């Protein structure tokens, strides 16, 4: 006779932290989520801009304008993170078996 399978492992404490609904942290958690989406979009725009520059699709003026815009957006992201006591690294959500949402910082 086979013994019953072992019970599933109990959730990690980290999972409980992700599900916490402490009213004092709701604003910070919401800001973190919004900033994560903005950072993902910023990185995608940056990669697209690099691709277009390497492909010769932009004039020098366009390259300069895109570069300046991306630098300003990066600076603003850092300011917003600082306001909510976050780091850009904190925005990289752990998606479990899929890995992290954002690529490693280079």
């Amino acid at each position: 006779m086979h013994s019953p399978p072992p019970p599933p492992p109990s959730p990690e404490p980290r999972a409980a932290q992700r599900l916490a609904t402490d009213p004092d942290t709701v604003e910070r958690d919401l800001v973190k989520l919004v900033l994560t989406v903005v950072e993902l979009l910023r990185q995608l725009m940056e990669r697209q801009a690099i691709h277009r520059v390497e492909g010769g699709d932009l004039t020098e003026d366009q390259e300069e304008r895109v570069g300046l815009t991306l630098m300003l957006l990066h600076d603003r992201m850092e300011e917003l993170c600082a306001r909510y006591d976050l780091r850009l690294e904190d925005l990289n959500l752990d998606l479990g078996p899929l890995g992290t949402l954002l690529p490693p910082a280079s």
Side-chain angles (χ1 to χ4, degrees):
M1 186 171 231
H2 296 286
S3 62
S10 61
E12 296 177 10
R14 228 172 102 185
Q17 289 175 351
R18 285 186 286 189
L19 300 176
T21 56
D22 180 7
D24 296 335
T25 64
V26 170
E27 180 181 3
R28 183 175 183 271
D29 291 344
L30 180 60
V31 167
K32 182 178 177 181
L33 178 61
V34 170
L35 290 177
T36 297
V37 171
V38 172
E39 178 62 13
L40 176 62
L41 293 173
R42 185 194 71 77
Q43 288 186 17
L44 292 172
M45 289 173 21
E46 188 175 86
R47 283 193 206 99
Q48 181 65 26
I50 291 169
H51 178 72
R52 291 187 67 194
V53 166
E54 289 174 350
D57 295 342
L58 301 175
T59 66
E60 279 187 39
D61 287 341
Q62 289 172 324
E63 286 178 23
E64 189 172 323
R65 199 168 56 233
V66 166
L68 180 60
T69 301
L70 290 172
M71 286 187 332
L72 290 172
L73 180 56
H74 180 76
D75 291 345
R76 186 67 176 130
M77 287 292 296
E78 286 181 333
E79 290 171 15
L80 288 168
C81 283
R83 176 187 282 176
Y84 289 94
D85 195 28
L86 296 167
R87 299 171 301 139
L88 285 174
E89 296 82 23
D90 295 332
L91 305 180
N92 199 359
L93 300 178
D94 181 0
L95 302 176
L98 298 175
T100 57
L101 177 66
L102 303 172
S106 47

